[in-house]
């Protein structure tokens, strides 16, 4: 990173906001993923909601928030809209792929084993983590300055390791039989991952200013940040309302038993 780059030009509060938003998105996403495990009617819908909350709100939005403090001496900062949207879609797709893969944990004989779960969960974390890293990289490449930017591959690899560890936390929390306080604490811990990923990505960024270069044509960060906040709030509202309206696990199990009993009675008749 060159000497002209500043990452906290708006103050440290930006990082705390990013962690708070990330923890909220993580908790909602994990709640949806856990609901998908015992939903009898629409498990794929819950998986989609979980992926949107985790990929879009827990990981993508914090890095957009952190970019609000990004400044470069001697240059106007702009952001490519296409790159910002593409990074969001990549993060969502990576989260969905990882969560979906983590559910495929049965062995060849149809029985779930501990070794199979471990291998599958690790694979799911790697898929999710590498996809999130690509999404973050695309977001960083959307930065436009009066000059040129490039990135250090070694620090991008560090961000990828952090992403895989954070994804492993998401996968574990979506399956583990733990208390709600553990889910809250785990969500806060996972929320540190996108902040650390952003720090590694920004540390990898190199900027070379060209005084003769024109102002880049992209959007200002606050335009993207406003749109990102509106979209993210919509993403969160839908699963929160769905979670409040959906039956809890005990009720779902009782309903499943009632349906099975009804089918048995119908078969006897």
């Amino acid at each position: 990173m060159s000497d002209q780059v500043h990452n906290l030009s708006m103050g440290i509060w930006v990082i705390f906001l990013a962690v708070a938003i990330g923890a909220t998105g993580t908790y909602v996403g994990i709640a949806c993923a856990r609901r998908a495990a015992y939903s009898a009617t629409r498990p794929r819908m819950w998986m989609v909601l979980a992926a949107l909350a985790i990929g879009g709100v827990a990981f993508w939005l914090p890095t957009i928030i952190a970019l609000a403090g990004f400044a470069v001496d001697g240059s106007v900062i702009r952001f490519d809209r296409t790159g910002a949207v593409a990074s969001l879609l990549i993060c969502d797709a990576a989260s969905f792929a990882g969560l979906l893969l983590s559910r495929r944990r049965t062995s060849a004989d149809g029985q779930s084993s501990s070794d199979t779960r471990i291998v599958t969960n690790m694979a799911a974390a790697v898929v999710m983590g590498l996809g999130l890293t690509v999404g973050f990289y695309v977001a960083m490449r959307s930065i436009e300055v009066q000059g040129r930017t490039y990135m250090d591959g070694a620090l991008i690899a560090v961000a990828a390791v952090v992403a895989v560890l954070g994804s492993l936390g998401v996968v574990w929390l979506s399956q583990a039989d733990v208390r709600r306080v553990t889910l809250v604490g785990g969500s806060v811990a996972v929320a540190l991952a996108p902040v650390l990923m952003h720090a590694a990505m920004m540390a990898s960024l190199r900027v070379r200013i060209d005084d003769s270069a024109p102002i880049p044509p992209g959007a200002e960060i606050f335009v993207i940040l406003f749109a990102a906040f509106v979209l993210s709030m919509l993403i969160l509202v839908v699963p929160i309302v769905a979670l409040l309206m959906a039956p809890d696990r005990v009720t779902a199990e009782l309903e499943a038993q009632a349906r099975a009993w009804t089918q048995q009675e119908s078969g006897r008749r």
Side-chain angles (χ1 to χ4, degrees):
M1 182 172 59
S2 65
D3 294 335
Q4 300 129 326
V5 175
H6 308 281
N7 291 319
L8 295 174
S9 62
M10 295 185 64
I12 193 67
W13 67 270
V14 174
I15 301 301
F16 290 106
L17 177 61
V19 172
I21 293 293
T24 303
T26 300
Y27 185 86
V28 173
I30 289 172
C32 291
R34 293 168 71 89
R35 182 77 62 174
Y38 61 87
S39 176
T41 55
R42 290 174 290 182
R44 189 61 59 88
M45 180 201 74
W46 289 111
M47 293 294 283
V48 170
L49 293 176
L52 292 175
I54 292 171
V57 182
F59 279 86
W60 179 77
L61 183 56
T63 194
I64 300 299
I65 293 173
L67 283 174
F70 176 69
V72 179
D73 294 337
S75 175
V76 174
I77 306 298
R78 294 290 186 267
F79 293 84
D80 176 52
R81 295 180 180 88
T82 303
V85 174
S87 65
L88 170 61
L89 296 177
I90 293 170
C91 288
D92 286 340
S95 299
F96 182 76
L99 290 172
L100 192 62
L101 180 59
S102 70
R103 294 298 173 185
R104 300 180 182 276
R105 57 181 188 275
T106 55
S107 58
D109 59 359
Q111 299 297 321
S112 177
S113 67
S114 178
D115 292 341
T116 302
R117 286 196 299 270
I118 292 173
V119 172
T120 305
N121 287 344
M122 290 297 296
V126 170
V127 169
M128 185 186 298
L130 293 182
L132 291 171
T133 304
V134 173
F136 271 55
Y137 177 80
V138 172
M140 294 298 106
R141 297 303 299 174
S142 69
I143 297 174
E144 298 178 343
V145 299
Q146 293 173 266
R148 66 187 186 92
T149 63
Y150 58 96
M151 301 182 73
D152 182 356
L155 290 171
I156 295 175
V158 172
V161 172
V162 174
V164 171
L165 293 176
S167 300
L168 187 59
V170 169
V171 171
W172 180 76
L173 288 172
S174 68
Q175 299 177 11
D177 185 12
V178 295
R179 295 182 299 174
R180 184 167 299 180
V181 65
T182 303
L183 291 179
V184 173
S187 297
V188 174
V190 170
L192 297 176
V195 174
L196 295 175
M197 288 175 64
H198 176 82
M201 288 284 188
M202 295 308 296
S204 75
L205 185 66
R206 304 290 187 268
V207 178
R208 292 294 176 264
I209 299 301
D210 182 358
D211 295 332
S212 62
I215 295 177
E220 295 183 5
I221 181 59
F222 290 104
V223 173
I224 295 178
L225 187 58
F226 175 76
F229 258 110
V230 172
L231 179 61
S232 298
M233 292 307 103
L234 291 175
I235 290 174
L236 285 180
V237 165
V238 174
I240 288 174
V241 172
L243 287 167
L244 291 174
M245 296 180 63
D248 58 24
R249 183 169 187 172
V250 175
T251 303
E253 290 176 349
L254 291 174
E255 289 179 350
Q257 292 174 5
R259 284 194 297 269
W261 180 83
T262 302
Q263 291 174 358
Q264 290 177 359
E265 290 297 317
S266 299
R268 291 174 182 174
R269 293 175 184 174

